[in-house]
């Protein structure tokens, strides 16, 4: 008998250049818009973005950039930054995004780790870039985007990229390398020890994009107008620079202007339907809208993540804006999406983190990392695994996952009987008082629900008798007041009495980390010793 010959399917490399190629071919007129302070919004199409990206690739090729080379960016959410992403990744190089809210010393350390010779810099960040170049001796070339500069460096060459794009050819081939090749590099914030680099691959980011496009996740359409406020330098901007061209949605970028008034005006002028960012961003926009009476009729949905969202703030946003708030949870090491609130869910306020999408799995464990026998409705340490989850950090030879692939997130969580994930705190945030644990997240959720409170945080303070005792730090909403006694009274009967914070400290402004989360590291440095 003749042997059976199975059929086969085509090999389609999952490289990120395919995404912008798709957008340029099938959504060529869809726009990428950038807000510019004091000027009309800048706009290009996806077809334009592809052409400009190819030209930048040819410029980089002329400087010796090849597959595997690291190229850094120090920039805001702009069209020029997005097209640089695709130029670098499309030719097989690695895009190392730098956070401009870090110090020159921190950024130089990261550049020394990645060995990037070339940095693309937003014009208004050039003073910082020059300080970085002084310290990062491997930097040879600085390309200025989003404007011009008259600054020069004694060693690194400084050039505006725009004049070079005009005359550059488009003779560079995108793709043609292994889909498992690295595409991006992002360093974590370093809340515990030195920052760690997370390397994304083309395959992991492509699969992450497909995960985002599921109907119970981002649920984006080509008719949507989406404003990513989450920075491009933070965890791939939650994957939006890939997901938006994949669907042909219009991309609206706020640049550096992320205050409530600027965001509200941009949403109104461009007809934004979906806006994405951390909760503190929307708090500022709500304050602006309440003060001015302005309305945003085009806005349908706000997607939040990065930090747990107090239910009171969620209700306030939905009431003030007439929109749906969709929650999410993830981390840099997950590319970053882990779970999303389901849009049709009628119990969103009870499960603020959502459910995992296809491509990621969750497990709760005890303090030793052993899986809990009962996975549902039990609090434990949260572990994850999946196609876009880290295996090992940049520059490290040993994996950070066990033989079965589980990665320790550092979060505490519960999974409900129907599969809803609820983040209940951070294991490192737990306060051990008299040998017993106190979970700050439970206290913060109650205090943040008070209408007078804008932001709250609970940290441990050294205590000679109990080892640690909780203290409460609050930022009140502008024009509101409440006594310390009334704040603490809200906790009575809702937490164990010995959990009650010893003191309330009022702050004019809660310190925020570079990602927009409350900076507990800074709070501990200032207040944990009394």
């Amino acid at each position: 008998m003749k042997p059976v010959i199975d059929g086969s399917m085509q090999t389609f490399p999952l490289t990120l250049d395919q995404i912008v190629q798709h957008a340029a071919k099938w959504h060529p007129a869809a726009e990428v818009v950038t807000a510019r302070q004091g000027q009309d919004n800048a706009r290009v199409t996806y077809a334009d973005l592809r052409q400009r990206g190819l030209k930048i690739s040819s410029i980089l090729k002329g400087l010796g950039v090849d597959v595997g080379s690291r190229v850094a960016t120090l920039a805001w959410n702009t069209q020029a930054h997005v097209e640089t992403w695709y130029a670098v990744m499309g030719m097989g190089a690695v895009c190392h995004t730098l956070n401009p809210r870090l110090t020159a010393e921190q950024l130089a350390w990261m550049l020394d780790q990645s060995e990037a010779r070339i940095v693309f810099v937003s014009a208004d960040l050039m003073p910082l870039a020059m300080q970085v170049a002084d310290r990062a001796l491997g930097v040879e070339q600085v390309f200025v985007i989003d404007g011009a500069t008259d600054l020069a460096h004694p060693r690194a060459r400084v050039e505006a990229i725009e004049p070079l794009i005009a005359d550059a050819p488009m003779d560079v081939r995108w793709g043609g390398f292994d889909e498992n090749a690295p595409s991006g590099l992002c360093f974590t914030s370093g809340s515990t020890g030195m920052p760690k680099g997370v390397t994304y691959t083309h395959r992991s980011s492509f699969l992450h994009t497909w995960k985002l496009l599921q109907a119970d996740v981002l649920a984006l359409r080509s008719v949507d107008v989406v404003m990513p406020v989450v920075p491009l330098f933070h965890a791939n901007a939650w994957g939006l620079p890939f997901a938006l061209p994949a669907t042909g949605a219009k991309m609206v970028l706020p640049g550096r202007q992320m205050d409530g008034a600027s965001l509200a005006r941009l949403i109104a002028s461009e007809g934004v339907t979906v806006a994405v960012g951390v909760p503190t961003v929307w708090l500022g926009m709500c304050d602006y809208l309440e003060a001015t009476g302005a309305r945003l009729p085009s806005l349908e949905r706000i997607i939040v993540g990065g930090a747990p969202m107090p239910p009171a703030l969620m209700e306030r946003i939905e009431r003030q804006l007439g929109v749906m708030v969709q929650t999410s949870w993830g981390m840099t090491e997950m590319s970053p999406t882990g779970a999303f609130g389901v849009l049709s869910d009628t119990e969103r306020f009870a499960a603020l983190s959502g459910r995992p999408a296809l491509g990621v799995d969750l497990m709760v464990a005890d303090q030793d990392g052993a899986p809990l026998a009962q996975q549902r409705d039990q609090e434990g340490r949260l572990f994850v695994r999946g196609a876009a989850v880290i295996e090992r950090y940049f520059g490290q030879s040993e994996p950070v996952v066990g033989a079965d692939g589980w990665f320790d997130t550092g979060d505490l969580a519960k999974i409900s009987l129907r599969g809803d994930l609820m983040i209940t705190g951070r294991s490192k945030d737990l306060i051990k008082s008299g040998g017993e644990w106190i979970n700050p997240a439970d206290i913060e959720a109650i205090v943040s629900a008070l209408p007078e409170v804008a932001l709250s945080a609970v940290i441990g303070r050294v205590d000679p008798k109990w080892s640690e005792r909780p203290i409460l730090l609050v930022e009140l909403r502008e024009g509101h007041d409440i006594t310390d006694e009334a704040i603490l009274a809200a906790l009575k009967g809702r937490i164990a009495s010995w959990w009650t914070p010893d003191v309330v400290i009022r702050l004019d402004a809660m310190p925020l980390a570079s990602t927009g989360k409350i900076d507990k590291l800074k709070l501990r440095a200032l207040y944990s010793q009394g």
Side-chain angles (χ1 to χ4, degrees):
M1 294 179 59
K2 293 177 61 177
V4 175
I5 301 176
D6 287 322
S8 62
M9 305 300 289
Q10 294 182 19
T11 299
F12 182 89
L14 303 184
T15 55
L16 295 170
D17 57 288
Q18 304 272 11
I19 293 177
V20 75
Q21 304 272 28
H22 170 87
K25 181 174 183 178
W26 298 109
H27 306 280
E31 291 182 319
V32 178
V33 178
T34 302
R36 297 187 297 182
Q37 194 169 21
Q39 304 179 62
D40 291 340
N41 296 339
R43 58 191 71 236
V44 299
T45 65
Y46 282 128
D48 297 331
L49 189 140
R50 173 186 171 273
Q51 290 184 348
R52 290 173 59 84
L54 284 166
K55 290 187 172 189
I56 294 172
S57 293
S58 72
I59 295 169
L60 292 174
K61 183 180 178 182
L63 293 173
V65 174
D66 204 347
V67 175
S69 301
R70 267 83 64 186
V71 176
T73 65
L74 182 67
W76 306 109
N77 283 22
T78 66
Q79 161 226 315
H81 196 179
V82 173
E83 66 194 19
T84 299
W85 271 36
Y86 279 104
V88 173
M89 297 180 192
M91 65 188 300
V94 183
C95 186
H96 175 193
T97 52
L98 295 167
N99 184 341
R101 294 170 184 150
L102 299 178
T103 66
E105 290 79 8
Q106 290 171 314
L107 296 172
W109 180 87
M110 293 174 184
L111 283 170
D112 286 343
Q113 301 305 303
S114 73
E115 299 181 351
R117 298 182 296 109
I118 299 170
V119 187
F120 285 77
V121 182
S122 288
D124 64 349
L125 290 171
M126 280 299 294
L128 173 60
M130 295 297 94
Q131 296 177 42
V132 174
D134 288 341
R135 295 162 173 82
L137 302 183
V139 173
E140 301 171 0
Q141 174 80 51
V142 175
F143 284 121
V144 184
I145 61 175
D146 300 321
T149 183
D150 57 3
L151 294 178
H153 193 269
R155 177 179 44 76
R157 185 175 181 178
V158 177
E159 290 181 278
I161 194 67
E162 198 62 36
L164 302 177
I165 292 176
D167 299 326
M170 294 192 300
D171 56 358
V172 174
R173 181 191 175 200
W174 278 354
F177 44 82
D178 193 300
E179 63 182 23
N180 290 297
S183 60
L185 174 62
C186 179
F187 279 80
T188 63
S189 58
S191 57
T192 55
M194 294 298 290
K196 300 182 182 71
V198 178
T199 302
Y200 307 112
T201 68
H202 284 264
R203 181 179 184 274
S204 72
S205 293
F206 209 112
L207 293 176
H208 183 269
T209 302
W210 272 332
K211 179 170 64 177
L212 288 178
L213 299 184
Q214 294 175 46
D216 274 340
V217 185
L218 281 184
L220 295 177
R221 308 160 297 172
S222 61
V223 295
D224 276 317
V225 180
V226 184
M227 183 178 73
V229 183
V230 57
L232 270 77
F233 53 76
H234 176 56
N236 282 338
W238 300 357
L240 290 166
F242 306 131
L244 300 187
T247 57
K250 177 179 174 180
M251 186 187 305
V252 178
L253 300 163
R256 188 171 187 168
Q257 289 70 53
M258 292 188 285
D259 60 281
S262 296
L263 293 178
R265 287 192 290 267
L266 185 58
I267 290 170
S269 66
E270 295 296 334
V272 171
T273 60
V274 181
V276 189
V278 296
T280 49
V281 166
W282 312 122
L283 183 65
M285 196 169 78
C286 271
D287 287 342
Y288 168 78
L289 294 174
E290 289 174 359
T292 62
R295 308 302 299 171
L296 301 173
S298 68
L299 193 60
E300 300 171 0
R301 183 161 43 113
I302 284 177
I303 300 171
V304 298
M309 186 172 211
L313 177 56
M314 182 186 292
E315 293 173 348
R316 181 183 170 204
I317 291 174
E318 294 198 336
R319 182 178 63 254
Q320 174 71 27
L321 302 182
V323 301
M324 174 176 281
V325 173
Q326 187 179 8
T327 55
S328 67
W329 167 83
M331 59 193 309
T332 303
E333 287 87 343
M334 299 179 68
S335 301
T337 303
F340 255 82
V342 179
L343 287 172
S344 60
D345 197 344
T346 58
E347 299 180 28
R348 287 175 297 119
F349 297 109
L352 297 184
S353 299
R355 300 177 199 164
L358 178 66
V360 65
D361 197 11
L362 312 177
M363 182 264 287
V364 286
D366 63 19
Q367 286 300 313
D368 297 321
L372 296 180
Q374 176 56 259
Q375 284 289 299
R376 299 299 171 96
D377 212 22
Q378 299 289 320
E379 185 179 51
R381 290 169 56 191
L382 181 62
F383 287 71
V384 296
R385 63 184 178 188
V389 177
I390 191 170
E391 181 179 59
R392 58 184 171 86
Y393 286 104
F394 178 82
Q396 297 186 6
S397 58
E398 295 299 318
V400 289
V401 298
D404 49 4
W406 290 110
F407 172 74
D408 186 357
T409 67
D411 282 323
L412 301 174
K414 284 184 180 179
I415 301 174
S416 74
L417 294 177
R418 70 172 191 169
D420 295 314
L421 173 68
M422 183 183 298
I423 301 298
T424 57
R426 290 286 290 170
S427 58
K428 68 180 180 183
D429 288 343
L430 293 178
I431 299 166
K432 198 165 191 178
S433 184
E436 300 290 340
W437 292 107
I438 296 172
N439 190 346
D442 291 348
I443 304 171
E444 292 162 354
I446 296 169
V447 174
S448 295
L450 296 172
E452 298 86 359
V453 174
L455 296 169
S456 71
V458 175
I459 63 170
R461 185 172 67 179
V462 172
D463 186 90
K465 181 178 180 180
W466 304 107
S467 178
E468 278 188 306
R469 286 295 299 155
I471 62 172
L472 172 63
L473 302 106
V474 297
E475 175 190 334
L476 298 185
R477 288 179 60 191
E478 187 174 353
H480 292 70
D481 195 17
I482 185 174
T483 65
D484 293 354
E485 293 75 16
I487 292 174
L488 295 177
L491 300 171
K492 190 173 182 180
R494 302 179 68 183
I495 60 171
S497 59
W498 60 274
W499 279 31
T500 303
D502 286 358
V503 66
V504 177
I505 298 174
R506 295 161 181 263
L507 304 178
D508 293 333
M510 189 72 71
L512 301 179
S514 58
T515 56
K517 303 176 186 178
I518 292 175
D519 191 344
K520 285 199 171 181
L521 196 65
K522 187 171 186 178
L523 290 177
R524 291 189 190 99
L526 292 172
Y527 300 104
S528 65
Q529 300 299 316

